[in-house]
Amino acid sequence: MQKSRLGQYNLIRRISTGGMGEIYLARREGPANFEKTVVIKRILPHLAREETFIKKFLDEARIVVNLTHSNIVPVFDMGEEDGEYYLAMEYVPGRDLRGILQQLHESGEERLPPPMALRIASETCKALGYAHRRTDDEGENLGIVHRDVSPSNAIVSKEGETKLIDFGVAQAAGRLSKTMSGRIQGKCAYMSPEQAEGA
């Protein structure tokens, strides 16, 4: 991909593509040689004009902007340019858990070392517990349920911290878009028992 620009961010390279959006490594530059590396998430071009996907994207922004926790990747900025919405998030040098597990499998290992597995699980649970308990300014619970806690959505930093990403299919109070009845959100293999039971 040739280097391009979105808002005040220079897009360096595309990192990944999902069902609804694409992720870029980007950099914001400012006076006195100021530079900040971030991750930009934007709606896939062929979906960027569809109201349903725009509402889901705006929902994700509204949910994540309320979450401030060391095990959740924060959103710094949300912007719009020529009708295209994007989020700027913290760049976490590291790998997602899916990539780590794949590398282990390719090297002949069957599983993560127990201390590492326990730390990842513990930090993921801390992030989810915080999101589930999060309230608004009036003390009302926001009702946030992630609904896609899969290895691709857990980033393990080079320092060994686990950070949860992608609240794009999260359930929460005050969403603009509503989940279609009978439609599965997230990945079946990682669905919670409550969701599987329709609770």
Side-chain angles (χ1 to χ4, degrees):
M1 179 197 95
Q2 284 189 330
K3 189 174 179 181
S4 60
R5 191 169 179 86
L6 186 60
Q8 54 193 342
Y9 301 96
N10 292 316
L11 303 182
I12 300 167
R13 64 180 168 86
R14 186 166 58 192
I15 298 171
S16 69
T17 302
M20 185 175 84
E22 52 189 358
I23 307 294
Y24 288 84
L25 185 66
R27 185 172 293 121
R28 181 180 175 188
E29 298 167 354
N33 296 319
F34 171 84
E35 286 188 351
K36 183 164 184 67
T37 302
V38 299
V39 168
I40 296 290
K41 180 176 183 177
R42 67 181 186 183
I43 302 174
L44 288 169
H46 69 281
L47 302 175
R49 304 287 181 213
E50 293 190 26
E51 188 177 345
T52 301
F53 290 97
I54 292 171
K55 283 183 177 180
K56 285 185 177 185
F57 193 79
L58 295 176
D59 278 337
E60 179 179 3
R62 284 183 176 87
I63 291 168
V64 179
V65 78
N66 288 303
L67 302 178
T68 306
H69 190 274
S70 60
N71 299 117
I72 296 175
V73 172
V75 170
F76 298 133
D77 188 17
M78 179 182 157
E80 178 267 331
E81 185 172 282
D82 299 325
E84 182 177 12
Y85 291 93
Y86 61 89
L87 298 176
M89 300 176 283
E90 177 186 22
Y91 168 56
V92 181
R95 299 187 68 186
D96 67 30
L97 184 54
R98 179 180 61 181
I100 293 170
L101 294 172
Q102 185 176 352
Q103 184 178 4
L104 277 173
H105 178 72
E106 289 169 0
S107 68
E109 296 289 330
E110 290 187 26
R111 59 181 61 93
L112 287 169
M116 184 179 186
L118 289 169
R119 179 170 181 166
I120 291 170
S122 172
E123 293 187 356
T124 301
C125 287
K126 286 178 186 176
L128 293 171
Y130 167 81
H132 293 174
R133 292 187 307 271
R134 188 69 172 89
T135 60
D136 64 17
D137 292 338
E138 283 74 44
E140 291 292 319
N141 191 284
L142 292 172
I144 298 172
V145 179
H146 189 285
R147 297 201 298 183
D148 194 13
V149 184
S150 58
S152 60
N153 287 333
I155 305 294
V156 181
S157 75
K158 289 181 178 178
E159 288 75 32
E161 295 177 308
T162 300
K163 294 189 178 243
L164 196 59
I165 62 169
D166 199 358
F167 283 76
V169 297
Q171 178 179 320
R175 284 183 63 109
L176 294 172
S177 61
K178 302 296 180 189
T179 301
M180 291 175 60
S181 180
R183 185 169 178 186
I184 293 173
Q185 298 289 308
K187 300 172 188 75
C188 290
Y190 299 97
M191 188 184 295
S192 70
E194 294 85 355
Q195 187 180 358
E197 293 170 359

